[in-house]
Amino acid sequence: SSTSSKPYKIAVLLCDTPLPAIVASQGDYGRIFETLFRNALREAGGPETEFVVDAYDVRNEQVYPQDVDQYDAVLLTGSGRSILATTR
C-alpha cells in the first residue's frame, strides 16, 4: 500500500516562467506539473499514490537541488527562448 511507503519525490527545474495570465490562473510550471501529475494519477486509477513536487527556479534565482539523488524523477520545463537567441 502506498500509505506505508515513502512518497515519490519529483524535482521540477523551472527553466522559464509562463505568461502572466497563465501564472494568475494556473500558477508557475511547478504548480502546473503537480496538477498534471495528480490528474493523470486520478485518471489512471491511482489517486492514492503519494508524491512530492519540489520546484527550483533555475532561470531567475539559479537554485538547484542540493542532492539530485534524493529524487525519483527530475523534470526540466521548457524555455520560451531559442538556443540561438542573442537578446533577452
Side-chain angles (χ1 to χ4, degrees), residues 8-52:
Y8 290 101
K9 290 192 68 162
I10 303 167
V12 177
L13 305 186
L14 306 174
C15 301
D16 208 342
T17 305
L19 296 172
I22 300 297
V23 172
S25 66
Q26 298 178 37
D28 67 9
Y29 283 125
R31 174 68 63 178
I32 290 169
F33 278 103
E34 181 175 355
T35 300
L36 176 72
F37 296 147
R38 289 202 189 286
N39 291 342
L41 284 169
R42 186 171 44 249
E43 291 289 323
E48 71 283 348
T49 301
E50 295 181 35
F51 67 92
V52 174

